[in-house]
């Protein structure tokens, strides 16, 4: 069985992290986000995927290639300019066989039971099955109204507050029958949520909901991206990530000074150096090849690979993308640093700062 993964969005809301890194490759527990998604598909026997790409496509292809350690067949389709969520699926049509296939928004992490969803799809002879999840505020999502028997009656993308009638939303995972591809125009920008689903409902197609209550998050913003890392560290997503919630896992070939204090949950990548009296308070994820200086303090933060944290720095509730350098004595709180940012000695960055890549500040 195949899955099309929509990975071509611009990741605008995740900037400055996504200026130079596609949303699919942002590291989650030190592995590209998409790798987690692929592993989950594979666990359910879905081992052929088509990645629908438009933005920063080459870095995704370079990373995953065609054969890979996951032992999955990965194919790629490219849009010259973004075709929208349904246009991107249509663009992948020639890579799909004449069988039902999954469609995944590429920015969702969930422990959805794909096998049970497929069973539901087949038992009901549906044209499309949409996974649903419950959220506190559906305004940022696609609201889905259903009948008692699970048939979808209304699909409303990004509803206004006064239009919210349920807390159930589109979880960004579908099963399509191949015939649905004929309902999408070729080489045209077309939206699954705003055009395809409403038009299918208007024409009485069989669109069914599959409710799920497991872990689910859309990594659409830095805050949610950080939360996903921490949820996985603290074992909040069932079988993925850490199990007991306060482990300290250190990678290979690193050096952690005996006076450094690591309080879990902490994931420290390979080849990291942690100097004397440094304190890393979990939840914290630190990428490969990072250097944490003497008496530096890190807490509730996600650090990408090759980051240098100088002596005595404080990095609290923040994200630092790859190759950032914090010179000694800096203080960074609730900030998001794009890659290759340099913060000069003793500088106290205003709380909540978002710093674009390659800026030198201080
Ligand atoms: N290839 C390709 N081409 N992919 C695209 C394009 C495109 O033109 N536009 C968006 N995508 C990808 C994005 O990269 C993302 O993985 C997915 O499609 C969904 O786009 P988002 O921009 O993240 O949409 P959203 O989060 O506002 O809303 C969608 O997801 C919600 C669940 O998180 C909708 O499907 C909502 O209905 C849903 O509730
Ligand atoms: Mg999204």
């Amino acid at each position: 069985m195949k899955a099309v993964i929509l990975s071509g969005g611009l990741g605008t809301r995740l900037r400055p992290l996504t200026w130079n890194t596609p949303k699919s490759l942002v590291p989650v527990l030190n592995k590209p986000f998409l790798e987690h998604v692929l592993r989950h598909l594979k666990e359910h026997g879905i081992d052929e995927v088509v990645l629908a790409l438009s933005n920063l496509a080459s870095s995704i292809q370079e990373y995953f290639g065609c054969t890979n350690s996951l032992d999955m067949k990965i194919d790629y389709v490219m849009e010259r300019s973004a075709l929208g969520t349904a246009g991107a699926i249509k663009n992948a049509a020639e890579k799909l066989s004449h069988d039902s296939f999954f469609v995944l928004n590429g920015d969702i992490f969930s422990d959805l039971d794909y096998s049970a969803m497929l069973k539901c799809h087949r038992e009901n002879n549906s044209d499309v099955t949409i996974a649903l999840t419950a959220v506190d505020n559906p305004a940022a999502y696609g609201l889905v109204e259903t009948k008692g028997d699970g048939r979808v009656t209304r699909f409303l993308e990004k509803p206004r507050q006064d239009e919210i009638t349920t807390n159930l939303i589109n979880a960004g995972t579908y099963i399509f029958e191949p015939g649905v591809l004929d309902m999408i125009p070729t080489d045209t920008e077309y939206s699954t949520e705003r055009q395809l689903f409403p038009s299918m409902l208007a024409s009485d197609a069989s669109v069914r909901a599959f409710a799920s209550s497991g872990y689910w998050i859309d990594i659409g913003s830095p805050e949610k991206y950080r939360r996903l890392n921490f949820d996985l560290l603290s074992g909040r997503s069932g079988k993925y990530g850490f199990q007991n919630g306060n482990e300290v896992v250190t990678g290979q070939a690193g050096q952690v000074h005996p006076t450094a204090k690591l309080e879990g949950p902490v994931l420290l990548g390979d080849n990291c150096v942690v100097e004397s009296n440094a304190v890393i308070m979990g939840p914290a994820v630190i990428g490969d090849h990072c250097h944490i200086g003497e008496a530096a303090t890190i807490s509730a933060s996600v650090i990408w690979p090759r980051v240098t944290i100088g002596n005595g720095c404080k990095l609290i509730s923040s994200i630092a993308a790859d190759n950032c350098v914090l010179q000694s004595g800096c203080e960074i709180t609730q900030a998001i640093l794009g890659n290759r940012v340099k913060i000069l000695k003793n500088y106290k960055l205003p709380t909540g700062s978002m710093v674009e890549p390659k800026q030198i500040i201080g």
Side-chain angles (χ1 to χ4, degrees):
M1 177 124 194
K2 292 195 180 183
V4 178
I5 306 183
L6 302 176
S7 306
L10 290 171
T12 327
R13 286 163 292 175
L14 255 185
R15 285 178 187 158
L17 300 174
T18 43
W19 274 118
N20 300 311
T21 305
K23 201 154 49 161
S24 305
L25 293 187
V26 298
V28 170
L29 298 195
N30 289 344
K31 298 254 184 296
F33 176 73
L34 188 59
E35 192 168 323
H36 296 274
V37 175
L38 294 176
R39 279 182 197 284
H40 184 201
L41 285 167
K42 178 99 198 278
E43 281 173 14
H44 286 272
I46 303 157
D47 57 3
E48 290 189 43
V49 300
V50 182
L51 301 183
L53 307 174
S54 65
N55 173 52
L56 294 174
S58 55
S59 51
I60 299 179
Q61 268 183 299
E62 263 163 43
Y63 185 87
F64 288 101
C66 296
T67 49
N68 48 76
S69 58
L70 300 173
D71 197 20
M72 293 175 80
K73 184 167 180 280
I74 302 181
D75 218 331
Y76 303 87
V77 280
M78 222 71 74
E79 293 146 52
R80 257 172 309 217
S81 62
L83 287 172
T85 44
I89 301 169
K90 178 76 172 189
N91 194 46
E94 66 177 36
K95 307 274 185 188
L96 299 165
S97 48
H98 299 286
D99 191 10
S100 329
F101 58 93
F102 276 86
V103 177
L104 270 62
N105 282 355
D107 57 351
I108 304 295
F109 187 101
S110 79
D111 52 18
L112 189 67
D113 186 343
Y114 296 128
S115 310
M117 183 172 172
L118 182 60
K119 187 162 175 271
C120 167
H121 178 78
R122 295 228 158 107
E123 278 173 3
N124 290 292
N125 267 325
S126 309
D127 295 314
V128 165
T129 299
I130 305 176
L132 305 189
T133 190
V135 295
D136 292 338
N137 183 7
Y141 303 99
L143 178 135
V144 183
E145 289 177 6
T146 56
K147 272 194 178 162
D149 64 0
R151 267 188 302 153
V152 173
T153 50
R154 187 165 176 235
F155 194 106
L156 189 57
E157 186 65 14
K158 312 284 183 311
R160 295 191 312 262
Q161 288 298 331
D162 63 332
E163 291 174 319
I164 295 173
T165 49
T166 169
N167 65 347
L168 290 177
I169 58 125
N170 165 23
T173 302
Y174 322 119
I175 301 172
F176 275 30
E177 282 308 297
V180 177
L181 291 167
D182 299 336
M183 302 175 203
I184 307 172
T186 308
D187 281 334
T188 307
E189 193 178 338
Y190 203 67
S191 161
T192 304
E193 300 83 352
R194 295 180 193 277
Q195 292 166 288
L196 178 65
F197 288 159
S199 79
M200 287 183 77
L201 292 173
S203 66
D204 249 357
S206 163
V207 181
R208 184 160 290 267
F210 176 78
S212 66
S213 57
Y215 185 84
W216 183 91
I217 197 165
D218 165 336
I219 56 154
S221 66
E223 194 37 55
K224 287 197 277 177
Y225 163 71
R226 209 165 61 99
R227 196 192 314 150
L228 171 60
N229 276 276
F230 295 170
D231 284 350
L232 296 183
L233 278 183
S234 51
R236 225 165 276 153
S237 125
K239 60 184 173 156
Y240 299 103
F242 284 20
Q243 294 308 306
N244 70 15
N246 57 7
E247 288 157 77
V248 174
V249 174
T250 52
Q252 295 170 354
Q255 287 171 31
V256 178
H257 193 275
T259 59
K261 190 172 147 202
L262 274 62
E263 214 166 277
V266 169
L267 174 62
L268 186 67
D270 294 341
N271 299 295
C272 288
V273 175
V274 183
E275 303 266 23
S276 58
N277 298 307
V279 177
I280 304 176
M281 301 278 289
V285 182
I286 296 173
D288 296 343
H289 301 283
C290 286
H291 190 115
I292 315 298
E294 268 176 46
T297 301
I298 293 168
S299 87
S301 295
V302 178
I303 299 175
W304 293 14
R306 294 176 299 280
V307 169
T308 301
I309 310 282
N311 295 348
C313 282
K314 287 192 172 57
L315 184 80
I316 313 294
S317 303
S318 295
I319 304 169
D322 59 277
N323 294 289
C324 285
V325 176
L326 277 56
Q327 292 187 344
S328 58
C330 294
E331 286 187 32
I332 314 286
T333 306
Q334 288 169 27
I336 318 288
L337 311 183
N339 65 331
R340 299 187 182 277
V341 164
K342 189 170 186 179
I343 310 283
L344 300 180
K345 205 168 167 183
N346 293 330
Y347 188 70
K348 197 171 169 191
L349 191 71
T351 299
S353 296
M354 307 270 259
V355 185
E356 299 294 300
K358 296 186 185 167
Q359 299 289 306
I360 299 176
I361 294 189

